[in-house]
Amino acid sequence: MMRENDIIVIGGGLAGLTAAAVAAKRGKKVMVLSLGAGTLTIGGGIVDVIGYLEGNKPVATPSAGLLQLPAEHPYKKIGRPAIEDAIKFFKEICEEEGYPYMGNLDTMQWVPTAAGTIKPTCLIPKTMNTEELQKANKVIVLGFESLKDFYPQLITKNFKKISRFKDKEYETVMIDPNLAEGRDVTALDVARWLDTEEGISECITKMRKVIQPGSVVIIPPVLGTRPNYRIADRLEQALQCHFIETASVPPSITGLRLRTMMVSYLKKIGVRIVEQATVAKSIVEADKCVAVVTEGIDRERTYYAKSFILANGGFYGGGLLAEPGKVIEPIFNLPVEAPEDHEMWANYSLFSNEAQPFAKLGLEVDEKMRPLDADGKVILNNVFVAGRNLRGYDYSFEKSGNGVAIASGYQAAMSV
Amino acid sequence: MKKHHNNPDSCTACTVCIANCPVTAATRKFRGPKMVGPTLERMRLSHEDVEPSLEYCSNCKNCDMSCPSGVPISTLNMLARAKYYKTRKHSLRDWILSHGEKMAKLSAATPGMANFGMKMSRGILKQIGISEKAPLPPYAPKSFSKLFKALKQKSYPDKVVFYPGCFINYNDPQVGMDFVAVMQANKFEVIVEDGLVCCGSPLVVNGFLDEAEENAKTNIQILKKWTDKGYPVITCCTSCGLMLKQEYQELFHIEGVQEYAKHLYDAGEFLLDLHDQGRLNTDFGTLNEKYMYHSPCHLRAQGMGLPGLDLLALIPGLDVQDVDGGCCGISGNYGFKAEKYDIAMSIGSTLFDKIKESRLDTVVSECGTCRLQIGHGANVKTLHPMTLVRRAYEAKQK
């Protein structure tokens, strides 16, 4: 009679949501226990696979980068075929939800940032594609009055230093969304303005005055908050221009779209998501986990399943806890190897060419993503690990965060 | 058990709360949960810092639900609002909206007259700042406590204590009666205590924190007698439930609350637990009906998933789909206020559109004021899950 799930996923970030989608697609009964809205809305909503190697060496393509990684890297355990399948699976979800992503392992996508730099990535919403930008002779950088954190002049100035963009003619223009009343204006506010019929009509009218048809226009990520291209298509049709969204500071609109899309997809395929669920501990019998226990402000609740996928993040998400001299994985108490002298956890040099040691701390797993002890023996047979709590990579340094999340989430759910 | 911690410094200013705040999405007058909550709280700790846009927080708790660092942002806001009103007078409007229970008691003698009077006095209500368009709930001809007293229950050794709350008691007593019928079908006797008062949720959101604490003490004292003996206390209203077990702990320092909170249940959650123990009466008749389900924010905030939806899935023939349309906007009495009405309707518009798209004429939801707002905004009928569970039992007997 007990309500038992086939799989419980702990964590509602991209790794957990991907794992849940894969498992549910495989016909499993899946429940996600999630605390907070994950970090998707802080990240850029793009899928970095691998951009840099140790020593800050850029890689030509994600494929090339994958070949050069050290054995300890999560990608090495997952293997190229599963990484490819994971990307294919992710792109299928996007397609099904009407918000297709573009890109593949053999192409490095370079997306412009609001600081006027470019960053390497792999999968992007089509509004971040820079092909048209590379072809264009003249580029318009469009800002919004009172919008913080997007300065067209800064972008222009820095683009002129980038070899592939330096020989273009730039023009900066501003339009006023009339959002000055009340709080500071963020890209989210502008995106919400464009979500409304009045907003988009007004915006089109204002844009017509400052941009010529046929222009390539760089804008902040404001093309609507929802995971579709309706706002982008509408603007492009009305103005006969090509719009390119930059990556920007949080709150990330592209990240918000990605999360909204994943959650909506999961609900459609019957995954139950329990919000505000703080998983505090597990009930383990021999080499198997029987249940996990959440602690609410009221009482504990026990959730049973045949298998568990641990995707609750690293130090920021709460999946790993740092204490003086040791790192703790609080739910299963899995071992995390870390230097006893925690002075050794950080690389103290500013603008260093090396990854941060603390960022590479995490759980050791086998190729099925099961946690391993110091001797390389599987600790729990029905627990699989995905995402930021894996050891051996510094996503921020090497630009691999969402790529590892998707690939390890996929691999974990396929191993169940 | 999780220790409660109102530490604004846990906020890393990541902005996820802003992306998930329905009020921020609907109006620029609100500076947003991060700024009004943890950011300004650091200032308030050292000196009084009045932030006018604090008025716009609806306490819907979507910020708390999205925070990766466990900051109870909305609670910081409610505490700041209480501090503000320590030295200032409340408006008559806010007093009336906060004291629904007192108003109901005044009207209880002649509910027909009160309803008639309410229609007549919409003009007066408008004068004091209650929107004339707001879906104010009518009083029921007989309160739940009257109906309950007239009911002859079968006695069983298993008993639960029911906390009806103001809305069920005075506006929608049938939900309470349906709950009692469902418990009887499961061989439970329902106890209703006379001295229980409003949970205090409407008081807290309007800054009457001291009064809310008095209510909390009264309720806890009565309910604790039962919970100390291990009796479960059950609510059918998700805002009452959240208040009784979570917000009492976040807002007040009352002895023994942690212990008492362990025994508080949402009706759907309690019945599903019975199911897990193999003792839920699953002798349901078939209901060949189709509905949309709206999950109240105050249920989602409780960290137990959507038990009402899971429970309804056990009824043969019944097809209930989660609308997944976000906050309805009403947030207790927020949407009744003249200056907030449009904001509330704008917040609920996604939900209303999704409901209209479904072309179904009835929506199921646990929260009474969500049901009011949905009926108003999407022009549909509404039901509490307990009503459907009762119907399913009755369908079998026919």
Side-chain angles (χ1 to χ4, degrees):
Chain A
M1 275 302 233
M2 184 70 73
R3 277 170 296 157
E4 194 187 69
N5 295 284
D6 291 323
I7 298 170
I8 283 178
V9 177
I10 304 162
L14 191 56
L17 298 179
T18 304
V22 173
K25 272 296 203 193
R26 295 182 67 203
K28 311 278 185 189
K29 191 179 169 202
V30 184
M31 177 180 267
V32 177
L33 300 175
S34 141
L35 180 68
T39 49
L40 273 171
T41 321
I42 310 170
I46 53 180
V47 181
D48 297 348
V49 170
I50 182 82
Y52 295 94
L53 301 170
E54 284 287 329
N56 214 19
K57 280 186 289 207
V59 300
T61 63
S63 281
L66 288 176
L67 289 173
Q68 299 166 65
L69 292 170
E72 66 182 35
H73 199 286
Y75 282 141
K76 283 289 178 189
K77 282 155 198 157
I78 297 162
R80 165 88 189 211
I83 298 170
E84 269 177 44
D85 289 348
I87 286 175
K88 187 163 165 271
F89 181 84
F90 173 77
K91 285 177 75 174
E92 279 167 8
I93 294 180
C94 300
E95 194 81 42
E96 245 179 273
E97 286 291 303
Y99 186 52
Y101 268 50
M102 52 183 296
N104 56 60
L105 288 175
D106 295 319
T107 317
M108 191 63 89
Q109 301 282 351
W110 289 90
V111 295
T113 74
T117 58
I118 51 173
K119 72 159 274 185
T121 188
C122 183
L123 306 181
I124 53 173
K126 68 178 197 186
T127 49
M128 294 179 102
N129 178 20
T130 55
E131 268 171 45
E132 294 294 324
L133 179 63
Q134 287 169 44
K135 283 191 264 169
N137 295 318
K138 195 183 160 193
V139 178
I140 292 175
V141 185
L142 187 144
F144 293 87
E145 297 290 349
S146 54
L147 168 63
K148 294 206 310 177
D149 309 317
F150 189 90
Y151 303 101
Q153 313 283 359
L154 177 74
I155 293 177
T156 302
K157 189 179 139 206
N158 284 338
F159 265 23
K160 285 180 182 161
K161 295 179 196 159
I162 300 168
S163 61
R164 70 180 75 193
F165 296 140
K166 72 177 179 208
D167 298 325
K168 300 180 192 302
E169 193 191 321
Y170 290 94
E171 187 192 343
T172 61
V173 296
M174 297 294 279
I175 61 172
D176 190 352
N178 282 329
L179 296 174
E181 174 213 27
R183 62 174 179 266
D184 289 343
V185 179
T186 67
L188 182 60
D189 291 303
V190 182
R192 283 167 170 166
W193 179 57
L194 285 175
D195 276 342
T196 66
E197 185 49 42
E198 311 84 73
I200 192 164
S201 317
E202 203 183 322
C203 185
I204 288 170
T205 310
K206 289 180 174 175
M207 281 180 169
R208 279 210 174 104
K209 291 181 186 150
V210 291
I211 52 179
Q212 300 291 318
S215 305
V216 168
V217 186
I218 294 177
I219 53 163
V222 296
L223 302 177
T225 61
R226 298 183 193 114
N228 59 54
Y229 293 119
R230 278 178 221 153
I231 306 290
D233 292 347
R234 174 94 179 268
L235 284 186
E236 299 203 338
Q237 262 178 13
L239 295 149
Q240 291 300 304
C241 288
H242 186 82
F243 287 89
I244 298 163
E245 290 185 294
T246 64
S248 184
V249 297
S252 153
I253 288 80
T254 39
L256 179 65
R257 286 181 210 145
L258 176 54
R259 179 177 150 79
T260 307
M261 178 188 76
M262 291 299 290
V263 170
S264 147
Y265 179 77
L266 288 182
K267 291 202 172 174
K268 268 182 224 162
I269 60 173
V271 174
R272 281 268 189 272
I273 301 177
V274 180
E275 296 174 278
Q276 288 296 76
T278 318
V279 180
K281 59 186 179 191
S282 53
I283 301 172
V284 169
E285 283 168 12
D287 61 353
K288 278 196 145 174
C289 174
V290 181
V292 290
V293 181
T294 62
E295 58 178 13
I297 199 165
D298 48 357
R299 65 179 165 274
E300 294 181 338
R301 293 179 174 82
T302 308
Y303 293 89
Y304 295 85
K306 295 190 184 89
S307 305
F308 299 81
I309 295 175
L310 183 66
N312 55 350
F315 293 111
Y316 188 70
L320 298 174
L321 304 178
E323 285 187 9
K326 62 178 174 182
V327 176
I328 291 165
E329 184 285 299
I331 298 173
F332 298 97
N333 202 20
L334 298 168
V336 184
E337 205 185 305
E340 253 175 66
D341 177 6
H342 62 260
E343 294 281 316
M344 304 287 288
W345 294 3
N347 167 3
Y348 293 94
S349 63
L350 195 61
F351 304 120
S352 161
N353 274 346
E354 301 301 326
Q356 282 291 351
F358 70 80
K360 297 173 94 173
L361 298 177
L363 303 171
E364 182 66 275
V365 293
D366 68 357
E367 68 287 348
K368 286 184 161 174
M369 314 311 285
R370 292 174 301 185
L372 298 177
D373 66 14
D375 302 324
K377 214 172 119 263
V378 172
I379 302 167
L380 294 164
N381 261 316
N382 64 341
V383 174
F384 304 83
V385 185
R388 196 49 219 108
N389 49 10
L390 291 168
R391 80 176 276 259
Y393 77 113
D394 178 345
Y395 76 94
S396 176
F397 176 84
E398 64 186 35
K399 308 286 177 237
S400 63
N402 283 349
V404 171
I406 287 174
S408 58
Y410 180 86
Q411 181 78 337
M414 290 304 285
S415 305
V416 170
Chain B
M1 198 55 54
K2 190 156 85 175
K3 285 205 180 58
H4 187 68
H5 194 45
N6 283 343
N7 183 7
D9 288 337
S10 299
C11 169
T12 61
C14 76
T15 71
V16 167
C17 57
I18 301 172
N20 287 281
C21 168
V23 178
T24 312
T27 175
R28 295 193 44 74
K29 288 177 182 157
F30 185 44
R31 290 179 76 193
K34 170 177 77 87
M35 182 59 90
V36 175
T39 304
L40 283 177
E41 186 63 17
R42 299 183 181 110
M43 312 293 160
R44 294 184 196 112
L45 290 173
S46 61
H47 61 91
E48 190 181 13
D49 191 24
V50 175
E51 166 53 42
S53 87
L54 172 60
E55 269 306 305
Y56 285 90
C57 173
S58 74
N59 199 32
C60 71
K61 305 219 167 273
N62 280 283
C63 47
D64 304 24
M65 277 187 263
S66 62
C67 180
S69 308
V71 182
I73 305 163
S74 58
T75 297
L76 293 176
N77 290 347
M78 292 310 110
L79 289 168
R81 199 174 277 173
K83 199 170 161 188
Y84 176 88
Y85 280 111
K86 280 248 174 208
T87 54
R88 288 166 186 85
K89 275 183 86 92
H90 282 91
S91 67
L92 173 64
R93 190 270 313 269
D94 286 359
W95 190 93
I96 288 176
L97 290 179
S98 309
H99 294 80
E101 186 177 38
K102 280 207 169 81
M103 303 299 290
K105 277 185 179 156
L106 281 173
S107 319
T110 53
M113 280 304 287
N115 286 334
F116 179 69
M118 201 157 75
K119 276 184 195 139
M120 293 296 287
S121 61
R122 280 312 278 247
I124 300 165
L125 293 177
K126 187 188 168 190
Q127 289 295 314
I128 62 165
I130 291 173
S131 169
E132 56 186 338
K133 289 178 273 181
L136 295 179
Y139 295 118
K142 269 189 185 166
S143 69
F144 170 76
S145 60
K146 271 193 187 159
L147 291 172
F148 180 79
K149 275 178 191 142
L151 182 79
K152 291 231 178 341
Q153 273 192 93
K154 262 192 201 161
S155 183
Y156 292 108
D158 284 335
K159 298 179 205 310
V160 296
V161 179
F162 178 53
Y163 178 88
C166 304
F167 191 85
I168 288 176
N169 203 8
Y170 298 109
N171 304 109
D172 202 2
Q174 191 54 45
V175 170
M177 299 308 283
D178 293 341
F179 169 74
V180 176
V182 168
M183 294 315 292
Q184 286 270 290
N186 281 286
K187 299 193 163 43
F188 275 87
E189 187 179 339
V190 177
I191 297 162
V192 175
E193 278 272 11
D194 267 338
L196 292 169
V197 293
C198 168
C199 69
S201 180
L203 291 162
V204 169
V205 292
N206 287 307
F208 294 90
L209 198 68
D210 294 342
E211 269 186 74
E213 186 164 3
E214 287 312 307
N215 283 19
K217 283 178 182 159
T218 306
N219 287 333
I220 290 168
Q221 200 196 8
I222 294 170
L223 294 176
K224 215 169 168 302
K225 282 189 308 194
W226 295 100
T227 58
D228 283 349
K229 284 185 264 179
Y231 283 90
V233 173
I234 301 181
T235 61
C236 283
C237 165
T238 48
S239 295
C240 294
L242 184 74
M243 191 75 199
L244 292 172
K245 66 188 177 196
Q246 180 166 329
E247 294 183 277
Y248 279 3
Q249 293 185 67
E250 289 177 348
L251 295 163
F252 314 124
H253 302 282
I254 301 171
E255 266 309 281
V257 183
Q258 267 195 338
E259 208 42 51
Y260 130 104
K262 285 181 189 171
H263 304 277
L264 300 191
Y265 291 83
D266 168 76
E269 186 196 20
F270 186 80
L271 291 167
L272 272 184
D273 278 1
L274 288 187
H275 186 50
D276 282 349
Q277 295 151 22
R279 69 148 296 190
L280 180 76
N281 173 2
T282 50
D283 207 6
F284 296 122
T286 304
L287 296 181
N288 285 318
E289 296 160 16
K290 201 172 171 183
Y291 302 105
M292 291 302 254
Y293 169 81
H294 163 69
S295 54
C297 300
H298 286 178
L299 172 66
R300 291 167 46 214
Q302 292 183 36
M304 56 163 94
L306 307 177
L309 192 58
D310 288 343
L311 180 67
L312 294 181
L314 302 173
I315 298 174
L318 191 62
D319 178 0
V320 185
Q321 297 292 326
D322 187 357
V323 194
D324 193 24
C327 180
C328 75
I330 194 85
S331 276
N333 54 47
Y334 187 84
F336 295 156
K337 299 176 179 177
E339 75 282 10
K340 313 272 168 46
Y341 174 84
D342 288 338
I343 297 172
M345 291 302 282
S346 163
I347 292 170
S349 61
T350 310
L351 175 67
F352 306 150
D353 289 347
K354 281 186 152 186
I355 291 169
K356 286 177 197 159
E357 270 168 40
S358 79
R359 295 176 180 276
L360 296 173
D361 66 353
T362 309
V363 173
V364 185
S365 188
E366 285 93 340
C367 169
T369 49
C370 288
R371 290 199 301 275
L372 273 178
Q373 172 82 343
I374 289 168
H376 178 63
N379 196 23
V380 286
K381 289 174 281 190
T382 58
L383 283 174
H384 191 285
M386 282 308 123
T387 306
L388 285 176
V389 178
R390 179 187 195 165
R391 272 195 212 161
Y393 286 132
E394 287 174 354
K396 189 71 178 191
Q397 284 155 14
K398 272 175 198 163

